[in-house]
Amino acid sequence: MLDSQNSDRIEMCNILKALFIILGIALLYNSQQNSKSSPAIVVRVNDPKFTVLGPYNTTEYEVDDLNDQLIDLKNFTFKVNPQPCQGYDAGLLLVVIISSNPNNCEKRSVIRKTWGRPTDTTKVVFLLGDPENITISKRIDNESTTHGDIVQGNFKDAYRNMTYKHVMGLKWVAHHCPMAKYVLKTDDDVVVNSHALRQFLARELSPWGASSLITCQVLQNAKVQRSRSKWIVSKNEYAGGFYPTYCAGWAVLYSQDVIPRLLTVAQNIPYFWIDDVHVTGVIAEMIGVTRTPLSSLILSSKRMNLLTSLGPEYAGQFLFGPPDLTVDKVSQIWKAIPE
Ligand SMILES: *[C@@H]1O[C@H](CO)[C@@H](O)[C@H](O)[C@H]1NC(C)=O
Ligand SMILES: *[C@@H]1O[C@H](CO)[C@@H](O)[C@H](O)[C@H]1NC(C)=O
Ligand SMILES: *[C@@H]1O[C@H](CO)[C@@H](O)[C@H](O)[C@H]1NC(C)=O
Ligand SMILES: *[C@@H]1O[C@H](CO)[C@@H](O)[C@H](O)[C@H]1NC(C)=O
Ligand SMILES: *[C@@H]1O[C@H](CO)[C@@H](O)[C@H](O)[C@H]1NC(C)=O
């Protein structure tokens, strides 16, 4: 009698816990849906039942995409196409796609040794174009054979081709890693706090599977640069005076379901070379997905300095480090992060 009452009570507790989580998720969705003016916030729940090993929802999303098309390139192929996600039929927590310059061999090497070590829940690949230089190409082939983590497209690797690279990443994920629940797009000069990120994704961020999620450092009312800038853009390239709300491209977290939706639109609208504006601004707006700010979960330079000089307790919780880091800084920050 007592026993059954107790177990009833425990069951009741679990039901209440579940209700709280559902409420949290509902709030997140609602705020995402109604947030034309005020941006959504990330609602965090914490349930020890969920671990980084799942359970995952492994429903795969339909992809409507031509293999040999990459935006306006009609003869696209993957020069190198590794399959690190194959065999994970029960799902993966995260796949990280890292835009990288073919010359940045050292940066890739440091990432492999620090935050980007592949695990049973996370896979990491680097996105490269064609360096169109036989010496560098050979080096890449070697690196790719050794590590199996280079995704290379047959377009020229160039600064103004970075949107090809980002969209190639979406294409690769949609076709070759659709079992990953979340997708992080980042650059090769960033630190990702991968321990904290896995806990955050598995336990806190709608553990039963967030959808329609794009979260990042959100940039608003950015003015189109018409002169004296690395980001100079002509009226032909972009007619408006301001960009839509978009994500800083060095760390963008997507839920898997938005990948095929972004890809379909990207394949069918004109090319624009600033990839974060194009993918997370223009296209995200077209598919109606809000960009949710990660706010304090992004490490500022100031907090990075506190982390490396005084220790992690002075930096607070974070998921991504600041961009434009040297390889030494990446190692230094990684060493300062607790397991
Ligand atoms: C899994 O995801 C699919 C597609 O979004 C959804 O329809 C389904 O309800 C989800 N299942 C669970 C158990 O969350
Ligand atoms: C497309 O690529 C293939 C193989 O690289 C090549 O043989 C063919 O000529 C290319 N076609 C066009 C239209 O560029
Ligand atoms: C190819 O790259 C190597 C190594 O960076 C460089 O020394 C060489 O000049 C490059 N060749 C051409 C044709 O650009
Ligand atoms: C590949 O690179 C490794 C490490 O730099 C080197 O030891 C090896 O000889 C290279 N192999 C080829 C085939 O170039
Ligand atoms: C981008 O890649 C395409 C396809 O390889 C190439 O034709 C074009 O010249 C490249 N753009 C730049 C700015 O190098």
Side-chain angles (χ1 to χ4, degrees), residues 202-315:
R203 289 217 170 117
E204 297 184 24
L205 184 73
S206 310
W208 286 328
S211 61
S212 291
L213 181 81
I214 303 181
T215 185
C216 59
Q217 180 183 16
V218 172
L219 304 172
Q220 284 176 303
N221 306 315
K223 203 161 184 270
V224 177
Q225 301 297 306
R226 299 289 186 209
S227 65
R228 290 190 308 280
S229 167
K230 175 180 170 189
W231 307 106
I232 186 163
V233 161
S234 71
K235 285 214 160 123
N236 260 342
E237 289 173 321
Y238 194 95
F242 291 87
Y243 293 125
T245 296
Y246 71 100
C247 285
W250 57 271
V252 187
L253 191 59
Y254 299 111
S255 56
Q256 177 71 246
D257 61 300
V258 303
I259 302 293
R261 291 157 69 194
L262 290 170
L263 177 63
T264 302
V265 177
Q267 292 281 49
N268 289 294
I269 66 168
Y271 186 86
F272 178 60
W273 64 277
I274 304 185
D275 70 307
D276 48 10
V277 167
H278 190 64
V279 176
T280 71
V282 176
I283 299 174
E285 210 113 289
M286 289 173 76
I287 65 167
V289 176
T290 307
R291 280 47 47 85
T292 306
L294 280 169
S295 311
S296 69
L297 290 173
I298 292 173
L299 190 70
S300 63
S301 298
K302 196 170 147 199
R303 280 165 66 206
M304 173 191 73
N305 290 333
L306 291 173
L307 173 71
T308 51
S309 58
L310 297 175
E313 61 276 30
Y314 293 89

Side-chain angles (χ1 to χ4, degrees), residues 81-88 92 95 123-125 148-149 172 176-177:
N81 187 4
Q83 299 296 326
C85 304
Q86 215 163 55
Y88 289 86
L92 281 163
V95 62
K123 299 298 161 194
V124 177
V125 295
D149 59 4
W172 184 82
H176 303 293
C177 200

Side-chain angles (χ1 to χ4, degrees), residues 103 132-136 139:
N103 293 312
E132 298 192 346
N133 171 319
I134 189 79
T135 315
I136 300 172
R139 217 182 288 152

Side-chain angles (χ1 to χ4, degrees), residues 61-78:
Y61 300 93
E62 246 175 68
V63 189
D64 173 20
D65 179 47
L66 294 172
N67 283 330
D68 56 0
Q69 180 191 346
L70 187 66
I71 314 178
D72 54 357
L73 305 177
K74 303 295 178 206
N75 208 9
F76 172 79
T77 56
F78 289 107

